[in-house]
Amino acid sequence: MAMVWSGAVGFGDRVSDQGRAEIPPTGRQPRTRTRSFRILIAFLPALAFIGVLWVALARTGSQAQSGSVAPSFELPLLDGNGVLTDEDLRGKPVIINFWASWCIPCREEAPLLEKTWRAYRDQGVVFLGVNIKDAESDARRFVDEFDITYPTVRDLDQSLTQDFGVKGLPETFFIDHRWTFIGAISGAKSSDQQGTVILGAISEDELISNVEILIRRMRSTVEEDR
């Protein structure tokens, strides 16, 4: 609608140099603030959802924070020769790999883990496999197929898996001789299988570089104690 100017000037109106009345503010600013407030209110549920989702993701992440103490455990050996505990491993650099026989990336990285274990075992490094969500017969066939010679335990109730905050399979953790984490390595998510997140296999560079960090830490402590 076009606005028509009348010759009369109302009370409180100001007259411009051109003789036209200057109309007081029409209240647009308050309307703008009200609209912005309504938009903010509309987005609050979405923001709250994002916040809850972020907390949930943070809780499901790995507990292997650098410098934190690794959990204690006592688990049965896959070969049936008793149990293995954290006390058996303390004082040594330890690489712990969580795996299952049906996990494709676990199969891909198995030869690399065994090769690296054989290359570094004379330097005091210990490798440990933790088998989860698997039939014992399938786990044994896996070990035989890839000629794995380092010890393997079974986490039947997944208590150690939960204590470590395992995100998926495979995942490899690095623990120094003081039994503290230096970190964990897992590849990007590739799929879901049997209700488990499947991650990428570890690379040779990642594995060896972290093994050497563990060895250097142990040697440094030995030198300091002399």
Coordinates of all heavy atoms in Angstrom, one line a residue, residues 12-74:
G12 N 4.2 15.4 18.3 CA 5.4 14.6 18.5 C 6.2 14.3 17.2 O 7.3 13.8 17.2
D13 N 5.5 14.6 16.1 CA 6.2 14.5 14.8 C 7.2 15.6 14.6 O 7.0 16.7 15.0 CB 5.2 14.5 13.6 CG 4.3 13.2 13.6 OD1 4.7 12.2 14.3 OD2 3.3 13.2 12.9
R14 N 8.3 15.3 13.9 CA 9.3 16.3 13.6 C 9.2 16.6 12.1 O 9.0 15.8 11.3 CB 10.7 15.8 13.9 CG 10.9 15.4 15.4 CD 12.4 15.1 15.7 NE 12.9 14.0 14.9 CZ 12.8 12.8 15.2 NH1 12.1 12.4 16.3 NH2 13.3 11.8 14.4
V15 N 9.5 17.9 11.9 CA 9.4 18.4 10.5 C 10.8 18.5 9.9 O 11.7 19.0 10.5 CB 8.7 19.7 10.4 CG1 8.6 20.2 8.9 CG2 7.3 19.7 11.0
S16 N 10.9 17.9 8.7 CA 12.2 17.9 8.1 C 12.4 19.2 7.3 O 11.5 20.1 7.2 CB 12.4 16.8 7.0 OG 11.5 17.0 6.0
D17 N 13.6 19.4 6.8 CA 13.9 20.6 6.0 C 13.0 20.8 4.8 O 12.7 21.9 4.4 CB 15.4 20.7 5.6 CG 16.3 20.8 6.8 OD1 15.8 21.3 7.8 OD2 17.5 20.4 6.6
Q18 N 12.5 19.6 4.3 CA 11.7 19.7 3.1 C 10.2 19.9 3.5 O 9.3 20.0 2.7 CB 11.8 18.4 2.3 CG 13.1 18.2 1.6 CD 14.2 17.8 2.5 OE1 13.9 17.3 3.6 NE2 15.4 18.0 2.1
G19 N 10.0 20.0 4.8 CA 8.6 20.3 5.3 C 7.8 19.1 5.5 O 6.6 19.2 5.8
R20 N 8.3 17.9 5.3 CA 7.6 16.7 5.5 C 7.8 16.2 6.9 O 8.9 16.3 7.5 CB 8.0 15.6 4.5 CG 7.6 16.0 3.1 CD 7.8 14.8 2.2 NE 9.1 14.3 2.2 CZ 9.5 13.2 1.5 NH1 8.7 12.5 0.8 NH2 10.8 12.8 1.6
A21 N 6.8 15.5 7.5 CA 6.9 15.0 8.8 C 7.8 13.8 8.8 O 7.8 13.0 7.9 CB 5.5 14.6 9.3
E22 N 8.7 13.8 9.9 CA 9.5 12.6 10.0 C 8.8 11.6 11.0 O 8.5 12.0 12.1 CB 10.9 13.0 10.6 CG 11.7 13.8 9.7 CD 13.0 14.2 10.3 OE1 13.2 13.9 11.5 OE2 13.8 14.8 9.6
I23 N 8.5 10.5 10.5 CA 7.7 9.5 11.2 C 8.6 8.9 12.3 O 9.7 8.5 12.0 CB 7.2 8.4 10.3 CG1 6.4 9.1 9.1 CG2 6.2 7.5 11.0 CD1 5.3 10.0 9.5
P24 N 8.1 8.8 13.5 CA 8.8 8.1 14.6 C 9.1 6.7 14.3 O 8.4 6.1 13.4 CB 7.8 8.2 15.8 CG 6.8 9.3 15.4 CD 6.7 9.3 13.9
P25 N 10.0 6.0 15.0 CA 10.3 4.6 14.7 C 9.1 3.8 14.8 O 8.2 4.0 15.6 CB 11.3 4.3 15.9 CG 11.9 5.6 16.2 CD 10.8 6.6 16.0
T26 N 9.0 2.8 13.9 CA 7.8 2.0 13.7 C 7.8 0.7 14.5 O 6.9 -0.1 14.4 CB 7.7 1.6 12.2 OG1 8.8 0.8 11.8 CG2 7.5 2.8 11.4
G27 N 8.9 0.5 15.3 CA 8.9 -0.8 16.1 C 9.5 -1.9 15.4 O 9.4 -3.1 15.8
R28 N 10.3 -1.7 14.3 CA 10.9 -2.8 13.6 C 12.0 -3.5 14.4 O 12.2 -4.7 14.3 CB 11.4 -2.4 12.2 CG 10.3 -2.0 11.3 CD 10.9 -1.5 10.0 NE 9.8 -1.1 9.0 CZ 10.1 -0.6 7.9 NH1 11.3 -0.4 7.4 NH2 9.1 -0.3 7.1
Q29 N 12.8 -2.8 15.1 CA 13.9 -3.3 15.9 C 13.4 -4.4 16.9 O 13.9 -5.5 17.0 CB 14.7 -2.2 16.5 CG 15.5 -1.4 15.5 CD 16.4 -0.4 16.1 OE1 16.2 -0.1 17.3 NE2 17.3 0.2 15.4
P30 N 12.4 -4.0 17.7 CA 11.9 -5.0 18.6 C 11.4 -6.3 17.9 O 11.6 -7.4 18.4 CB 10.7 -4.3 19.3 CG 11.1 -2.8 19.2 CD 11.8 -2.7 17.9
R31 N 10.8 -6.1 16.7 CA 10.3 -7.3 16.0 C 11.5 -8.1 15.6 O 11.4 -9.4 15.6 CB 9.5 -6.8 14.8 CG 8.2 -6.2 15.1 CD 7.4 -5.8 13.9 NE 6.2 -5.1 14.2 CZ 5.4 -4.5 13.3 NH1 5.8 -4.5 12.0 NH2 4.3 -3.9 13.6
T32 N 12.6 -7.5 15.2 CA 13.8 -8.2 14.7 C 14.4 -9.0 15.9 O 14.7 -10.2 15.8 CB 14.9 -7.3 14.2 OG1 14.3 -6.6 13.1 CG2 16.1 -8.0 13.8
R33 N 14.4 -8.4 17.1 CA 15.0 -9.1 18.3 C 14.1 -10.3 18.6 O 14.5 -11.3 19.0 CB 15.1 -8.1 19.4 CG 16.2 -7.1 19.3 CD 16.5 -6.4 20.6 NE 15.4 -5.6 21.0 CZ 15.3 -4.3 20.7 NH1 16.2 -3.7 20.0 NH2 14.3 -3.6 21.2
T34 N 12.7 -10.0 18.5 CA 11.8 -11.1 18.8 C 12.0 -12.3 17.9 O 12.0 -13.5 18.3 CB 10.4 -10.6 18.8 OG1 10.2 -9.5 19.7 CG2 9.4 -11.7 19.1
R35 N 12.2 -12.0 16.6 CA 12.3 -13.0 15.6 C 13.6 -13.8 15.9 O 13.6 -15.1 15.8 CB 12.4 -12.4 14.2 CG 12.5 -13.5 13.1 CD 12.5 -12.8 11.8 NE 12.7 -13.8 10.7 CZ 12.8 -13.4 9.4 NH1 12.9 -12.2 9.1 NH2 13.0 -14.4 8.5
S36 N 14.7 -13.1 16.2 CA 16.0 -13.8 16.5 C 15.8 -14.7 17.7 O 16.4 -15.8 17.8 CB 17.1 -12.7 16.8 OG 17.3 -11.9 15.6
F37 N 15.1 -14.2 18.7 CA 14.9 -15.0 19.9 C 14.1 -16.3 19.6 O 14.5 -17.4 20.1 CB 14.2 -14.2 21.0 CG 13.9 -14.9 22.3 CD1 14.9 -15.2 23.1 CD2 12.6 -15.4 22.6 CE1 14.7 -15.8 24.3 CE2 12.4 -16.0 23.7 CZ 13.4 -16.3 24.6
R38 N 13.1 -16.1 18.8 CA 12.3 -17.3 18.4 C 13.1 -18.3 17.6 O 13.0 -19.5 17.8 CB 11.1 -16.9 17.5 CG 10.0 -16.2 18.4 CD 8.9 -15.7 17.5 NE 7.9 -15.0 18.2 CZ 6.9 -14.3 17.7 NH1 6.8 -14.2 16.4 NH2 5.9 -13.7 18.5
I39 N 14.0 -17.8 16.7 CA 14.9 -18.8 16.0 C 15.8 -19.5 16.9 O 16.0 -20.7 16.8 CB 15.7 -18.0 14.9 CG1 14.8 -17.4 13.8 CG2 16.8 -18.8 14.3 CD1 15.5 -16.5 12.9
L40 N 16.4 -18.8 17.9 CA 17.2 -19.4 18.9 C 16.5 -20.5 19.7 O 17.0 -21.6 19.9 CB 17.8 -18.4 19.9 CG 18.7 -18.9 21.0 CD1 19.9 -19.6 20.4 CD2 19.1 -17.7 21.9
I41 N 15.3 -20.2 20.1 CA 14.5 -21.2 20.8 C 14.2 -22.4 20.0 O 14.3 -23.5 20.4 CB 13.1 -20.6 21.3 CG1 13.4 -19.5 22.3 CG2 12.2 -21.6 21.8 CD1 14.0 -20.0 23.6
A42 N 14.0 -22.2 18.7 CA 13.7 -23.3 17.8 C 14.9 -24.2 17.6 O 14.7 -25.4 17.5 CB 13.3 -22.8 16.4
F43 N 16.1 -23.7 17.7 CA 17.3 -24.5 17.5 C 17.8 -25.1 18.8 O 18.7 -25.9 18.8 CB 18.4 -23.6 16.9 CG 18.4 -23.5 15.4 CD1 17.8 -22.4 14.8 CD2 18.9 -24.6 14.6 CE1 17.7 -22.4 13.4 CE2 18.8 -24.5 13.3 CZ 18.2 -23.4 12.6
L44 N 17.3 -24.7 20.0 CA 17.8 -25.3 21.2 C 17.7 -26.8 21.3 O 18.6 -27.4 21.8 CB 17.0 -24.6 22.4 CG 17.5 -23.2 22.8 CD1 16.6 -22.7 23.9 CD2 18.9 -23.3 23.3
P45 N 16.6 -27.4 20.9 CA 16.6 -28.9 20.9 C 17.7 -29.5 20.1 O 18.3 -30.5 20.6 CB 15.2 -29.3 20.4 CG 14.4 -28.0 20.6 CD 15.3 -26.9 20.5
A46 N 18.0 -29.0 18.9 CA 19.0 -29.5 18.1 C 20.4 -29.3 18.8 O 21.2 -30.2 18.7 CB 19.0 -28.8 16.7
L47 N 20.6 -28.2 19.4 CA 21.9 -27.9 20.1 C 22.0 -28.9 21.2 O 23.1 -29.4 21.5 CB 21.9 -26.5 20.5 CG 22.0 -25.4 19.4 CD1 21.9 -24.0 20.0 CD2 23.3 -25.5 18.6
A48 N 20.9 -29.1 22.0 CA 21.0 -30.0 23.1 C 21.3 -31.4 22.6 O 22.1 -32.2 23.2 CB 19.7 -30.0 23.8
F49 N 20.8 -31.9 21.5 CA 21.0 -33.2 20.9 C 22.5 -33.3 20.6 O 23.1 -34.4 20.8 CB 20.1 -33.4 19.7 CG 20.5 -34.7 19.0 CD1 20.1 -35.9 19.5 CD2 21.2 -34.7 17.8 CE1 20.4 -37.1 18.8 CE2 21.5 -35.8 17.1 CZ 21.1 -37.1 17.7
I50 N 23.0 -32.3 19.9 CA 24.4 -32.3 19.5 C 25.3 -32.5 20.8 O 26.3 -33.2 20.8 CB 24.8 -31.1 18.7 CG1 24.1 -31.1 17.4 CG2 26.3 -31.0 18.5 CD1 24.2 -29.8 16.6
G51 N 25.0 -31.8 21.8 CA 25.8 -31.8 23.0 C 25.8 -33.2 23.6 O 26.8 -33.8 24.1
V52 N 24.6 -33.8 23.7 CA 24.4 -35.2 24.2 C 25.2 -36.2 23.4 O 25.9 -37.1 23.9 CB 23.0 -35.6 24.3 CG1 22.8 -37.1 24.6 CG2 22.2 -34.8 25.3
L53 N 25.1 -36.0 22.0 CA 25.9 -36.9 21.1 C 27.4 -36.8 21.3 O 28.1 -37.8 21.3 CB 25.5 -36.6 19.7 CG 26.2 -37.4 18.6 CD1 25.8 -38.9 18.7 CD2 25.8 -36.9 17.2
W54 N 27.9 -35.6 21.5 CA 29.3 -35.4 21.7 C 29.8 -36.1 23.0 O 30.8 -36.7 23.0 CB 29.6 -33.9 21.8 CG 31.0 -33.6 21.9 CD1 32.0 -33.4 20.9 CD2 31.8 -33.4 23.1 NE1 33.2 -33.1 21.4 CE2 33.1 -33.2 22.8 CE3 31.5 -33.5 24.5 CZ2 34.1 -33.0 23.7 CZ3 32.4 -33.3 25.4 CH2 33.8 -33.0 25.0
V55 N 29.0 -36.0 24.0 CA 29.4 -36.6 25.3 C 29.4 -38.1 25.1 O 30.3 -38.8 25.6 CB 28.4 -36.2 26.4 CG1 28.6 -37.1 27.6 CG2 28.6 -34.8 26.7
A56 N 28.4 -38.7 24.4 CA 28.3 -40.1 24.2 C 29.5 -40.6 23.4 O 30.1 -41.6 23.7 CB 27.0 -40.5 23.4
L57 N 29.9 -39.8 22.3 CA 31.1 -40.2 21.6 C 32.3 -40.2 22.4 O 33.2 -41.0 22.3 CB 31.2 -39.3 20.3 CG 30.1 -39.5 19.2 CD1 30.3 -38.4 18.2 CD2 30.2 -40.9 18.6
A58 N 32.4 -39.2 23.2 CA 33.6 -39.0 24.1 C 33.7 -40.2 25.0 O 34.8 -40.7 25.3 CB 33.6 -37.7 24.9
R59 N 32.6 -40.7 25.5 CA 32.6 -41.8 26.4 C 33.0 -43.1 25.8 O 33.5 -44.1 26.4 CB 31.3 -42.0 27.1 CG 31.0 -40.8 28.1 CD 29.6 -41.0 28.7 NE 29.4 -39.9 29.7 CZ 28.2 -39.7 30.3 NH1 27.2 -40.5 30.0 NH2 28.1 -38.8 31.2
T60 N 32.7 -43.3 24.5 CA 33.0 -44.5 23.8 C 34.4 -44.5 23.2 O 34.8 -45.5 22.7 CB 32.0 -44.7 22.6 OG1 32.1 -43.6 21.7 CG2 30.6 -44.9 23.2
G61 N 35.1 -43.5 23.4 CA 36.5 -43.4 22.9 C 37.5 -44.2 23.7 O 37.1 -44.7 24.8
S62 N 38.7 -44.4 23.2 CA 39.7 -45.2 23.9 C 40.0 -44.5 25.2 O 40.1 -43.3 25.3 CB 40.9 -45.3 23.0 OG 42.0 -45.8 23.7
Q63 N 40.3 -45.4 26.2 CA 40.7 -44.9 27.5 C 42.2 -44.8 27.6 O 42.8 -44.5 28.6 CB 40.2 -45.9 28.6 CG 38.7 -46.1 28.6 CD 38.0 -44.8 28.9 OE1 38.3 -44.1 29.8 NE2 37.0 -44.5 28.0
A64 N 42.9 -45.2 26.5 CA 44.4 -45.2 26.5 C 45.0 -43.8 26.3 O 45.6 -43.5 25.3 CB 44.9 -46.1 25.4
Q65 N 44.8 -43.0 27.3 CA 45.3 -41.6 27.3 C 46.8 -41.7 27.6 O 47.2 -42.4 28.6 CB 44.6 -40.7 28.3 CG 43.1 -40.5 28.0 CD 42.9 -39.9 26.6 OE1 43.6 -39.0 26.2 NE2 41.8 -40.3 26.0
S66 N 47.6 -41.0 26.9 CA 49.1 -41.1 27.1 C 49.4 -40.7 28.5 O 49.0 -39.6 29.0 CB 49.8 -40.1 26.1 OG 51.2 -40.1 26.3
G67 N 50.2 -41.5 29.2 CA 50.6 -41.3 30.6 C 49.7 -41.9 31.6 O 50.1 -41.9 32.8
S68 N 48.5 -42.4 31.2 CA 47.6 -43.0 32.2 C 48.0 -44.5 32.4 O 48.6 -45.1 31.6 CB 46.2 -42.9 31.7 OG 46.0 -43.7 30.5
V69 N 47.7 -45.0 33.6 CA 48.1 -46.3 34.0 C 47.2 -47.3 33.3 O 45.9 -47.2 33.2 CB 48.0 -46.5 35.5 CG1 48.4 -48.0 35.9 CG2 48.9 -45.5 36.2
A70 N 47.8 -48.4 32.7 CA 47.0 -49.4 32.0 C 46.3 -50.3 33.0 O 46.8 -50.4 34.2 CB 47.9 -50.2 31.1
P71 N 45.1 -50.8 32.7 CA 44.4 -51.7 33.6 C 45.1 -53.0 34.0 O 45.9 -53.5 33.2 CB 43.1 -52.0 32.9 CG 43.0 -51.0 31.8 CD 44.4 -50.7 31.4
S72 N 44.8 -53.5 35.1 CA 45.2 -54.8 35.5 C 44.3 -55.9 34.9 O 43.2 -55.6 34.6 CB 45.2 -54.9 37.0 OG 46.1 -54.0 37.6
F73 N 44.8 -57.1 34.8 CA 44.0 -58.1 34.2 C 44.5 -59.5 34.6 O 45.7 -59.7 34.9 CB 43.8 -58.0 32.7 CG 45.1 -58.3 31.9 CD1 45.4 -59.6 31.5 CD2 46.0 -57.3 31.6 CE1 46.6 -59.9 30.8 CE2 47.2 -57.5 30.9 CZ 47.5 -58.8 30.5
E74 N 43.6 -60.5 34.4 CA 44.0 -61.9 34.5 C 43.1 -62.7 33.6 O 41.9 -62.7 33.8 CB 43.8 -62.4 35.9 CG 44.2 -63.9 36.1 CD 44.1 -64.4 37.5 OE1 44.3 -63.6 38.4 OE2 43.8 -65.6 37.7

